[in-house]
Amino acid sequence: LLASEHITVKHAVLAFAPRPPAPVIGSMLSVCTIKSTPPPFQFQLEARGNEDNNEDDDDEESDGLDSLMGKKLGIDIGSQLPSLTPEEIADIREAAQATLDAAVDSRLADIEDLRSQLQDDLAESRGRMETAAALNVQLEKQNLMERIDLLTNDFLNKDKDFRESTKKAAAADRLAGSMGRGVDWGSWGDVGDGEVVIESGGESTGGGPSKLLGSVDAARRRVLADSMSGEDEMDAPSAPLTAAENRVLVVVDDKKDKGAALILDKLATLLNEAFDSNIVIDTYSPASSNIPIGGNNAQTAIIFASSLNDRSSLESLLGRVLKRTAPVAGGAPGMPPSHVVIISALGTERTNQMPYSMQNLFGGKLDKLREIEQAIAAISRSRIAGKQASLDYTIVKFGNVASDDDKIGDDGAEITIQPGDVLDGEIGPNAAANVLVQAMAYQPYARNATLCTAGGLPSDVSVDMATWNDKFLCLSGPELLRVEAGRGAEESDDGILDSKYEQLRQYVKQWSAAYEGDRKGTGLTTPVLVRKSRRPASELDGVVARSGVRILFQTTNTGDRYKSASEEKRDEKDRNSGGGVTKKPSSAAPVVIKTKSRKEGGVEILVEKTTDGNIRVRARRCNMDNKAIVKEMSEEVIVKNLKRAVEAWVTARATTG
């Protein structure tokens, strides 16, 4: 419809203000009359059944419009429009597609811009977080170092006296030409967890190996006893050591031990060659009643176990020999021996194996020797510190003594030493005497230890001290495994570390990580902890570089409930001695006793580079005390796995070069 036209419909008239002309596409009116009239324009709508054109009532208008529902009003627009050609339709589609593409591209561009902005914001946020994290790390590191410094200072302040006593002990060792002193029990070998104050021969020994009969503690006590200055006993650790008469007490029955005479003859010769002063050797029969009380002030007592009847014979003998004597005519009081060497036989711990089962068949000979071995260890460990003089022991197990060293072995110069009771074979008198001299005067690892030895040594053959140290090294722990890994890298002038040693050290460290956390798949029945080894390199051990780990066994309920036969008998005796009388409970508050955590044993694995340039791996027992139970099955699993792993590494190293 054109705005300038006047449209009249029956009865209804609408008036519009004039407006610019506009095209009209179609109309839904059934009857349309167009008139050209001057403005104002009027649209007159006539409706059926309504003759009142002047009625403005809303109800009437509503009734007129409702009557138009369902009827065609206007024209068919589709029939009036011209049809589009295929080209026009294609153009319209292209235009529409172009419009859509442009809209999509615009939105995609907006999305890419938004993504880029988000990535920039994320990178900026990440940078701020990294900066904050670095600052937090520095702050925590500073706080940690402050706490470490505080703990270190507290530790140093608490252990100041102990460190001072250790320095004094080392100074006294240099003066005495010895290699250590005992602290826990014993007097020369043990300081803490099997550690020893060890020093090479100093100026007093001309740089050679140091030696001492008895113990450092006994030597100090002799000086104090002989001193007339009234020096306080608290100054004992710093007391100077002077030369004293060296004396050895020997208890043996030549009729029961035929080879003892051959060994003692060689021993006397070697001792007099080792010491500047003459060595006095007093020999007594165990049946003799004139064994001196206090051991005639001997530093060392050698007792042949085969000469005694049983354990009670040893206890009675030591009760007499270890007793201090009163001073005579204003002289110094007597000083009993501080080191007891028990010479026993092979097979005392293998009475269920041939041929030792046959030797033990009549009279239980080996069982009696085993009881004597256990007795000396118990007596040594039961000494009361501060009230009784410390006492070291060494148990040496020999096979049959041959009459001629040259008949032992192919070359007659092979001596084997192992901890415990594992060797078989004969021993030559010269070899046996050399082992005794080393155990008595040179080797701290022989103190408070059990060893077995076999082999021979001709009189014209000498063994250097480094070889002896390496042979006795197996007693430290004791040693459970030793695997040689070949030669290390040659030392260079610029001090570069040995690459082979470093690789093996890292390999063992990674291997030990399998035992951390859950022990599933390791074959162990005991929970363990893996800790770094703190054992340093030692000239005595012939080691220039050392590193390793400690696999420590943890407490289990089974181990806590274990009781030895003697403990069970004591508990039963306590129960039976009650007599049915019930004790009234005490009203006093319970007393809380703080005790140290028990040591449950463990295996220490050491990677070492020796002074001669070889590399080896050793496993030794660690974390032990007198009450610890040896966990042989767990030790065997660890040692077997370690041996397999190290041998595989050595083979791979040899293949790859």
Side-chain angles (χ1 to χ4, degrees):
L1 298 176
L2 296 176
S4 61
E5 299 296 330
H6 181 77
I7 304 175
T8 303
V9 183
K10 290 182 180 182
H11 303 294
V13 177
L14 298 177
F16 297 90
R19 62 179 181 178
V24 177
I25 297 176
S27 173
M28 297 300 295
L29 300 177
S30 61
V31 179
C32 182
T33 305
I34 302 175
K35 297 181 182 181
S36 298
T37 59
F41 304 109
Q42 292 183 349
F43 284 49
Q44 297 181 357
L45 302 177
E46 296 182 4
R48 294 181 181 179
N50 190 359
E51 301 296 336
D52 190 1
N53 295 331
N54 296 323
E55 186 71 22
D56 294 331
D57 187 60
D58 292 339
D59 295 336
E60 293 179 357
E61 290 181 357
S62 176
D63 294 340
L65 293 175
D66 291 341
S67 64
L68 297 177
M69 295 178 60
K71 299 188 181 206
K72 292 184 179 181
L73 301 177
I75 61 177
D76 187 359
I77 298 177
S79 62
Q80 299 298 323
L81 294 175
S83 60
L84 299 176
T85 63
E87 292 78 5
E88 292 175 340
I89 294 175
D91 294 340
I92 292 174
R93 287 178 177 175
E94 291 178 359
Q97 186 65 40
T99 302
L100 291 175
D101 292 343
V104 171
D105 292 341
S106 176
R107 296 302 300 166
L108 290 176
D110 294 340
I111 292 174
E112 289 296 332
D113 294 340
L114 180 60
R115 181 182 299 173
S116 299
Q117 183 178 358
L118 290 176
Q119 290 179 349
D120 295 340
D121 294 342
L122 180 61
E124 183 179 356
S125 176
R126 186 178 299 166
R128 291 195 299 268
M129 292 176 62
E130 291 177 353
T131 302
L135 294 176
N136 290 333
V137 168
Q138 293 180 359
L139 178 61
E140 292 298 328
K141 185 183 296 184
Q142 182 179 356
N143 294 336
L144 178 61
M145 294 305 299
E146 291 177 355
R147 289 196 295 269
I148 291 175
D149 292 340
L150 180 61
L151 293 175
T152 302
N153 292 333
D154 293 342
F155 174 78
L156 293 177
N157 292 333
K158 292 179 180 178
D159 293 350
K160 182 178 180 181
D161 296 337
F162 174 77
R163 288 183 286 108
E164 291 297 330
S165 64
T166 303
K167 292 179 180 179
K168 292 179 180 179
D173 289 343
R174 287 193 296 270
L175 294 174
S178 66
M179 290 189 289
R181 73 180 183 92
V183 172
D184 290 343
W185 56 270
S187 56
W188 194 25
D190 294 330
V191 177
D193 186 16
E195 300 295 336
V196 189
V197 180
I198 300 296
E199 292 191 6
S200 301
E203 297 178 357
S204 60
T205 60
S210 57
K211 52 187 178 292
L212 177 71
L213 281 180
S215 67
V216 177
D217 180 72
R220 292 195 189 98
R221 292 177 181 273
R222 288 179 186 278
V223 174
L224 292 177
D226 294 338
S227 176
M228 302 300 293
S229 61
E231 189 175 7
D232 190 356
E233 188 175 355
M234 295 300 294
D235 297 331
S238 60
L241 303 180
T242 60
E245 182 183 34
N246 291 310
R247 186 181 294 271
V248 177
L249 174 70
V250 178
V251 178
V252 61
D253 188 345
D254 295 334
K255 296 180 180 180
K256 293 184 178 180
D257 200 324
K258 302 297 183 180
L262 298 175
I263 296 176
L264 292 176
D265 289 343
K266 295 288 185 180
L267 178 63
T269 302
L270 294 175
L271 286 175
N272 286 309
E273 291 176 354
F275 289 85
D276 297 334
S277 61
N278 292 330
I279 304 294
V280 179
I281 300 179
D282 299 325
T283 304
Y284 296 91
S285 171
S288 175
S289 59
N290 60 351
I291 297 179
I293 298 176
N296 202 16
N297 293 339
Q299 288 90 352
T300 302
I302 300 177
I303 302 175
F304 284 78
S306 58
S307 301
L308 304 178
N309 294 328
D310 50 23
R311 175 171 182 159
S312 61
S313 299
L314 175 69
E315 294 174 346
S316 176
L317 174 63
L318 292 182
R320 182 179 181 87
V321 171
L322 299 180
K323 186 177 296 184
R324 298 189 62 178
T325 58
V328 179
M335 296 295 295
S338 56
H339 184 205
V340 176
V341 179
I342 299 293
I343 298 179
S344 185
L346 296 176
T348 58
E349 301 177 35
R350 295 174 287 170
T351 54
N352 59 338
Q353 302 177 15
M354 289 289 292
Y356 306 109
S357 58
M358 297 300 298
Q359 298 179 17
N360 195 51
L361 185 60
F362 299 102
K365 173 185 176 181
L366 296 181
D367 289 339
K368 293 180 180 179
L369 295 181
R370 179 58 180 163
E371 292 178 357
I372 292 174
E373 295 170 4
Q374 294 173 341
I376 183 59
I379 292 173
S380 175
R381 297 171 183 176
S382 63
R383 307 289 283 184
I384 301 175
K387 295 184 179 180
Q388 295 175 301
S390 55
L391 178 67
D392 290 344
Y393 75 92
T394 301
I395 300 174
V396 183
K397 299 186 179 186
F398 293 143
N400 293 330
V401 178
S403 60
D404 188 356
D405 291 355
D406 296 337
K407 295 181 180 180
I408 307 295
D410 296 335
D411 56 1
E414 182 66 26
I415 300 178
T416 303
I417 298 175
Q418 289 293 327
D421 182 19
V422 296
L423 295 178
D424 301 309
E426 298 176 329
I427 185 75
N430 189 49
N434 275 274
V435 171
L436 288 177
V437 170
Q438 291 293 325
M440 293 166 58
Y442 293 99
Q443 301 297 332
Y445 293 138
R447 298 298 177 102
N448 309 312
T450 300
L451 63 100
C452 58
T453 180
L457 181 65
S459 301
D460 57 348
V461 176
S462 61
V463 179
D464 59 16
M465 187 54 61
T467 302
W468 281 118
N469 292 343
D470 185 65
K471 289 182 179 296
F472 277 86
L473 178 60
C474 63
L475 302 180
S476 174
E479 186 177 288
L480 303 175
L481 175 70
R482 181 181 297 196
V483 180
E484 298 292 340
R487 295 285 299 177
E490 297 296 335
E491 296 184 1
S492 57
D493 296 336
D494 53 3
I496 298 177
L497 295 177
D498 190 328
S499 59
K500 185 176 181 180
Y501 166 78
E502 291 295 327
Q503 291 175 7
L504 182 56
R505 181 176 68 86
Q506 291 296 330
Y507 176 79
V508 171
K509 182 179 180 181
Q510 295 175 1
W511 171 85
S512 65
Y515 294 93
E516 294 182 347
D518 188 7
R519 63 182 185 275
K520 184 178 181 181
T522 61
L524 295 180
T525 58
T526 304
V528 297
L529 287 177
V530 180
R531 295 290 183 265
K532 182 180 179 181
S533 174
R534 298 170 295 181
R535 195 173 186 84
S538 171
E539 185 179 352
L540 176 71
D541 299 346
V543 175
V544 296
R546 173 181 282 162
S547 177
V549 296
R550 298 197 304 165
I551 302 177
L552 306 178
F553 299 130
Q554 297 302 290
T555 303
T556 59
N557 292 332
T558 303
D560 291 340
R561 290 195 295 264
Y562 175 81
K563 291 184 179 181
S564 62
S566 59
E567 291 174 338
E568 291 179 351
K569 291 181 180 179
R570 184 171 60 252
D571 292 344
E572 184 178 359
K573 183 178 179 181
D574 294 340
R575 290 193 299 268
N576 295 335
S577 62
V581 179
T582 304
K583 295 182 179 181
K584 295 182 179 180
S586 175
S587 60
V591 179
V592 179
I593 301 177
K594 296 183 179 180
T595 59
K596 295 182 179 179
S597 59
R598 286 180 50 184
K599 294 183 179 180
E600 296 293 339
V603 178
E604 185 175 28
I605 301 166
L606 301 172
V607 180
E608 300 172 335
K609 183 175 181 180
T610 62
T611 53
D612 56 2
N614 292 327
I615 296 177
R616 67 191 180 195
V617 177
R618 295 195 307 120
R620 60 184 291 271
R621 191 173 292 156
C622 68
N623 195 40
M624 298 291 294
D625 59 15
N626 301 336
K627 296 182 179 180
I629 301 173
V630 177
K631 299 172 177 57
E632 295 182 356
M633 294 180 60
S634 296
E635 288 181 351
E636 184 179 356
V637 170
I638 295 174
V639 170
K640 185 182 297 183
N641 293 340
L642 175 64
K643 182 179 180 181
R644 187 184 304 114
V646 174
E647 288 178 348
W649 184 89
V650 172
T651 302
R653 175 83 181 189
T655 303
T656 59

